[in-house]
Amino acid sequence: MQQGLPGDEVIIQTQGHAGLIRLNRPKAINSLNEAMVSGMKAGLDAFARNSDVTCVILSGEGERGLCAGGDVRQIYAAKSASPEDRTRFWREEFPLNYTISHYPKPYVALMDGIVMGGGVGISAHGRYRIVTERTRLAMPETAIGYFPDVGATWLLPRAPGEAGTWLGLTGREIGAADAIYAGLADYHVASQRLPELVHALADVSFAADVGAVVESFSSKPDADGILAPHQRRIDAAFGFDTIEEIIDALVSAEDSFAKETLSTLQLRSPTSLKLTLRLLRLGRGSSGLVECLEREFAAGCEVLRNHDFYEGVRAALIDKDRNPKWSPATLDEVSDEEIDSYCVPTEPPLFRGHRL
């Protein structure tokens, strides 16, 4: 089976018993658009029905990474469109994240290079998440006036202690060791061995044997992470339920890690920080991924009715001046009532009518 030619944005093909999904926008670090989401869905549906396919392997073309996230330029460009058109990408992307989380066959994500935002959504919900020495993983949304979505408010609260809170609020990049520690990945495999791993998986006839093959290629990450050594400091500062208390704890800590973290938070959208913390705390007590995706979709719809997302994208990707003017500009100006408005469920629910 083969769908897609080398110039297509998603290439769907089989190799032995493996179904391959290859993201093919290397110049954009395989940033997701609607066509790519549709292509992935079609490939997953076809592989689920194909009895010869034992597992599905996701990879990204090019040297830079698996996926740099959703194509926020596309959403930015739709600023003046109808609410339905502005949110169409998420209406397609979020159900894809759920499909991956419940996929009936082993789903193997090769998280090589840059894996950010939407790239985390199409990998970290899979059954076998493989990082390499080149992995640079992040949920950097607070830097563009947004918040971690694609089910991150389900995944991040399940990291050890407050590591997920730190990741979601700061948007900082982490490597292989930290991705595994945070529960966003399972195995480390040297990047040069990934083609050999794909070949080995293609020879696997039984789904139950996929895990053993992956594990046979795994090795300890060469570089140590930053999360485990700083877990105590992270827990002490990020265990609070308001950004103001987190800021005060970081100011009081006075160590280099706290100072660096504080400097990062001070550059983020105040609204995004408060909204992200609210969603992470709600995610901690949620019943499952769908509840978090529904809540994230509602918050995203409200984000597109306000200022900071468009200003953040402008500063980071359009004008590239790296100098966003957030509004409100300070934490004091962002009320609890304003954050409440981001958490009103959409009607009809996002997942109504979808085959779950």
Side-chain angles (χ1 to χ4, degrees):
M1 168 190 174
Q2 179 162 344
Q3 290 179 231
L5 299 172
D8 290 346
E9 293 177 332
V10 176
I11 299 173
I12 307 295
Q13 58 190 180
T14 55
Q15 179 178 328
H17 292 288
L20 307 183
I21 298 178
R22 296 159 52 199
L23 306 182
N24 192 33
R25 290 184 73 200
K27 291 183 179 179
I29 321 179
N30 301 313
S31 295
L32 295 173
N33 56 31
E34 290 180 32
M36 296 169 74
V37 169
S38 296
M40 287 190 65
K41 285 182 177 179
L44 288 171
D45 286 345
F47 292 144
R49 295 191 302 267
N50 188 338
S51 60
D52 291 332
V53 170
T54 300
C55 67
V56 173
I57 304 172
L58 174 72
S59 63
E61 295 295 287
E63 296 297 321
R64 300 176 67 187
L66 172 65
C67 176
D71 191 345
V72 294
R73 288 175 179 266
Q74 189 179 64
I75 301 174
Y76 178 91
K79 180 178 182 179
S80 300
S82 68
E84 291 76 16
D85 287 340
R86 289 201 305 266
T87 60
R88 183 183 296 115
F89 175 69
W90 294 329
R91 291 179 186 274
E92 298 298 322
E93 181 189 28
F94 287 11
L96 174 63
N97 302 142
Y98 180 87
T99 295
I100 291 168
S101 75
H102 286 71
Y103 197 63
K105 297 181 179 183
Y107 181 96
V108 182
L110 306 184
M111 302 165 70
D112 188 36
I114 292 173
V115 185
M116 296 185 180
V120 175
I122 58 171
S123 56
H125 293 298
R127 196 180 309 180
Y128 299 103
R129 294 90 47 92
I130 297 170
V131 286
T132 76
E133 76 283 357
R134 295 177 356 102
T135 297
R136 297 293 178 269
L137 185 149
M139 296 299 298
E141 288 81 1
T142 57
I144 59 166
Y146 192 52
F147 61 89
D149 64 349
V150 297
T153 62
W154 171 253
L155 294 170
L156 292 177
R158 281 145 189 85
E162 298 296 336
T165 310
W166 181 87
L167 286 167
L169 291 175
T170 65
R172 288 276 303 276
E173 291 183 15
I174 56 174
D178 281 327
I180 294 171
Y181 179 80
L184 300 173
D186 306 296
Y187 299 98
H188 168 268
V189 175
S191 59
Q192 65 181 10
R193 298 199 70 193
L194 293 181
E196 184 184 355
L197 172 61
V198 171
H199 183 79
L201 289 173
D203 287 338
V204 175
S205 302
F206 298 99
D209 296 332
V210 169
V213 172
V214 171
E215 190 165 354
S216 72
F217 279 80
S218 68
S219 59
K220 185 179 183 298
D222 294 334
D224 294 331
I226 59 174
L227 291 177
H230 292 99
Q231 185 71 68
R232 181 180 58 80
R233 294 182 178 88
I234 290 171
D235 291 349
F238 286 82
F240 298 100
D241 292 330
T242 70
I243 295 296
E244 290 86 350
E245 289 174 297
I246 291 173
I247 295 292
D248 288 344
L250 291 170
V251 170
S252 299
E254 295 187 341
D255 59 82
S256 59
F257 180 80
K259 289 179 179 178
E260 183 178 359
T261 299
L262 180 62
S263 296
T264 298
L265 294 180
Q266 289 171 335
L267 297 175
R268 303 313 190 216
S269 157
T271 300
S272 291
L273 289 176
K274 288 199 170 185
L275 176 58
T276 295
L277 184 61
R278 172 78 68 85
L279 293 174
L280 290 174
R281 293 298 185 253
L282 290 171
R284 181 173 286 170
S286 293
S287 62
L289 176 59
V290 165
E291 183 180 344
C292 290
L293 288 169
E294 290 281 12
R295 191 182 295 120
E296 292 168 8
F297 180 70
C301 291
E302 184 64 20
V303 163
L304 296 186
R305 289 190 280 266
N306 287 278
H307 168 272
D308 276 9
F309 171 75
Y310 299 105
E311 173 62 9
V313 175
R314 178 207 63 78
L317 300 174
I318 308 302
D319 298 335
K320 299 182 180 180
D321 58 29
R322 307 291 177 182
N323 187 32
K325 305 298 183 184
W326 305 124
S327 180
T330 66
L331 291 169
D332 290 342
E333 296 175 272
V334 183
S335 68
D336 289 341
E337 292 73 21
E338 181 178 352
I339 299 303
D340 289 342
S341 70
Y342 287 84
C343 300
V344 178
T346 58
E347 187 59 43
L350 175 63
F351 283 90
R352 179 179 294 177
H354 284 279
R355 178 171 54 83
L356 303 183

